[in-house]
């Protein structure tokens, strides 16, 4: 009530592209995939790759510290932001960071603003760090007879020296949705799927795939497919790309949470989610960035069914408490917003939360930037 909506839609310019310094300066509404395309034209690339990259804007990525499959090797949006221009809640213009890849002058306000969900300042411009583009990407699609065996394979991968550039997980409910949609050809008996990528120079990729395959082979393996080159890789990713659309057919309401646990406890989290689905009589579809322990838990709800929405909210509370019991965190990339505010005190101690509120008040003394988000009421 009484809010003002600020539109950035005219701030869509790429202000500078300097391949020699591996830097790009962009305004907030540049489409993320456009940054990647321009970087690739000079043999560089911008590693963060959210699933919405073809249409999402860099300003939103900055606000949420967006990630994607490549985060397991390359990190998240925050790791590729050298500096920002922004406007605080009282109209002060801010300039943070620098143009160089090393710099320790003053407090690191750049990393503070990235991921602050628009509650501290309006980000208008970002100086982004680019990397040399890998020459080749190789992909493995690996199916297992159970989620437990798939999670065991994830742990084997993440405790050996070769770091994959992507390590994605899909559970039995996700595979069932894909089968119903006819979007991908999956083998009979597959109850969980991993997508694993390695990138680099051709010789590096060949070595990495051999090492990864050796650790992916183990109990419960149903199928292992290898793809090299753009067309083969695109074919292997078809199942993952089809998932969001396929899941929508299960129920009219999807409650999507992106919780994170240490990779060594991913199997425990998946097992807990399966138990919650049975206990609360709800279809739950789980998939996500297994290499980071980041699981997207999707509660599929029919709101018109008596009691179903109430069961879903009870299930969410138990899910969040389970995540924290496993030494995890409530969100890896989607943020808190309004929906998860009540659970924030379960993760952040009162003293720390009070200091965060004080920082908010300094940047936004009138409380006008995304009011009511991120922090619990009061």
């Amino acid at each position: 009530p009484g809010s003002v909506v600020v539109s950035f839609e005219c701030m869509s310019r790429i202000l500078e592209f300097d391949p020699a310094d591996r830097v790009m300066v962009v305004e907030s509404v540049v489409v993320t995939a456009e940054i990647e395309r321009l970087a690739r034209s000079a043999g560089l690339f911008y590693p963060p790759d959210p699933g919405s990259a073809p249409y999402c804007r860099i300003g939103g990525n900055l606000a949420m510290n967006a990630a994607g499959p490549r985060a397991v090797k390359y990190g998240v949006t925050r790791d590729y932001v050298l500096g920002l221009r922004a406007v605080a809640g009282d109209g002060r213009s801010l300039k943070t960071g620098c143009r160089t890849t090393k710099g320790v002058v003053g407090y690191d306000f750049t990393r503070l603003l990235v991921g602050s969900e628009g509650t501290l300042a309006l980000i208008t411009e970002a100086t982004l760090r680019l990397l040399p583009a890998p020459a080749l990407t190789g992909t493995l699609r690996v199916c297992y007879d159970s989620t437990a065996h798939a999670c065991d394979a994830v742990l084997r991968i993440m405790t050996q020296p070769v770091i994959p550039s992507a390590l994605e997980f899909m559970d039995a409910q996700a595979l069932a949705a894909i089968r119903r949609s006819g979007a991908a050809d999956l083998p009979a008996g597959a109850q969980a799927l991993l997508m694993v990528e390695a990138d680099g120079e051709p010789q590096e990729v060949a070595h990495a795939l051999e090492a990864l395959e050796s650790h992916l082979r183990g109990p419960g393996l149903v199928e292992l497919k290898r793809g090299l080159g753009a067309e083969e890789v695109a074919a292997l990713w078809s199942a993952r790309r089809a998932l969001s659309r396929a899941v929508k057919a299960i129920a009219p309401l999807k409650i999507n949470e992106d919780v994170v646990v240490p990779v060594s406890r991913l199997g425990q989290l998946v097992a807990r989610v399966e138990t919650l689905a049975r206990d609360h009589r709800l279809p739950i579809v789980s998939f996500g960035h297994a290499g980071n322990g980041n699981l997207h838990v999707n509660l599929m709800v029919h709101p018109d069914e008596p009691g179903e929405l109430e069961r879903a909210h009870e299930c969410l509370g138990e899910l969040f408490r389970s995540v924290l019991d496993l030494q995890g965190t409530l969100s890896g990339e989607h943020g808190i917003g309004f929906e998860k505010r009540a659970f924030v005190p379960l993760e952040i101690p009162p003293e720390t939360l009070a200091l965060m509120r004080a920082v908010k008040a300094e940047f936004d003394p009138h409380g006008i930037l995304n009011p009511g988000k991120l922090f619990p009421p009061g």
Side-chain angles (χ1 to χ4, degrees):
S3 293
V4 173
V5 175
V6 180
S7 170
F8 288 80
E9 62 189 319
C10 295
M11 302 190 72
S12 58
R13 296 177 297 170
I14 295 176
L15 300 173
E16 183 183 355
F17 176 37
D18 187 338
D21 284 341
R22 299 178 184 171
V23 162
M24 191 181 300
V25 183
V26 299
E27 292 182 323
S28 293
V29 192
V30 175
V31 175
T32 307
E34 188 60 32
I35 296 169
E36 171 79 339
R37 279 193 293 271
L38 182 56
R40 292 272 182 179
S41 72
L44 302 171
F45 88 124
Y46 175 65
D49 58 333
S52 54
Y55 52 88
C56 67
R57 314 296 172 137
I58 189 65
N61 294 179
L62 296 165
M64 305 310 300
N65 193 25
R70 288 198 293 245
V72 64
K73 179 178 180 179
Y74 291 104
V76 297
T77 296
R78 181 180 280 129
D79 300 311
Y80 296 90
V81 183
L82 298 174
L84 298 170
R85 287 187 182 274
V87 180
D90 57 2
R92 286 174 292 177
S93 292
L94 309 175
K95 179 181 179 297
T96 75
C98 52
R99 186 189 172 90
T100 58
T101 54
K102 294 179 73 175
V104 293
V105 178
Y107 293 130
D108 193 348
F109 283 173
T110 303
R111 294 180 70 86
L112 175 63
L113 293 183
V114 176
S116 62
E117 300 189 31
T119 61
L120 298 180
L122 306 177
I123 296 173
T124 58
E125 179 186 304
T127 301
L128 304 176
R129 177 170 73 101
L130 308 174
L131 296 183
L136 181 68
T137 297
T139 304
L140 305 170
R141 191 184 82 178
V142 196
C143 297
Y144 294 90
D145 64 2
S146 70
T147 53
H149 283 141
C151 290
D152 289 344
V154 169
L155 187 55
R156 292 197 300 271
I157 289 295
M158 296 309 295
T159 53
Q160 53 86 51
V162 175
I163 301 176
S165 57
L167 178 50
E168 298 288 292
F169 166 84
M170 287 181 252
D171 75 353
Q173 289 275 9
L175 299 192
I178 290 170
R179 286 190 179 98
R180 285 193 297 269
S181 73
D185 181 25
L186 298 173
Q191 294 296 305
L193 183 149
L194 299 179
M195 296 292 297
V196 189
E197 283 195 343
D199 64 8
E201 294 300 313
Q203 187 174 354
E204 290 179 283
V205 173
H207 167 73
L209 290 180
E210 290 294 335
L212 294 170
E213 281 190 21
S214 69
H215 288 83
L216 289 163
R217 297 187 186 278
L221 180 66
V222 174
E223 179 191 70
L224 192 156
K225 279 190 173 182
R226 180 190 283 206
L228 286 169
E231 289 187 9
E232 290 175 291
V233 168
L236 288 181
W237 275 100
S238 64
R240 180 66 173 87
R241 287 199 311 272
L243 187 53
S244 290
R245 185 172 62 253
V247 165
K248 290 178 181 177
I250 298 175
L253 175 62
K254 180 175 74 169
I255 302 176
N256 181 6
E257 300 297 344
D258 81 307
V259 293
V260 193
V261 295
V263 174
S264 62
R265 300 179 183 187
L266 180 64
Q268 296 176 61
L269 175 60
V270 171
R272 179 62 177 149
V273 169
E274 291 172 349
T275 299
L276 289 173
R278 290 193 297 270
D279 290 349
H280 294 278
R281 307 190 309 281
L282 289 170
I284 301 181
V285 182
S286 297
F287 57 89
H289 316 306
N292 298 109
N294 185 191
L295 194 66
H296 295 303
V297 181
N298 299 270
L299 280 64
M300 309 308 300
V301 181
H302 293 83
D304 295 335
E305 290 290 326
E308 191 156 315
L309 197 56
E310 289 77 8
R311 295 201 309 275
H313 285 295
E314 290 173 9
C315 181
L316 279 180
E318 292 183 38
L319 170 66
F320 293 148
R321 288 178 175 83
S322 296
V323 167
L324 296 175
D325 286 344
L326 293 170
Q327 295 186 302
T329 183
L330 296 176
S331 179
E333 55 189 8
H334 293 176
I336 299 301
F338 287 114
E339 295 299 325
K340 284 194 275 199
R341 292 178 304 164
F343 297 95
V344 168
L346 298 178
E347 179 171 341
I348 300 178
E351 299 81 4
T352 306
L353 198 53
L355 187 57
M356 289 182 177
R357 290 184 188 276
V359 171
K360 161 72 171 171
E362 180 59 38
F363 275 87
D364 181 25
H366 307 298
I368 63 173
L369 299 181
N370 270 355
K373 289 191 177 180
L374 189 58
F375 297 119

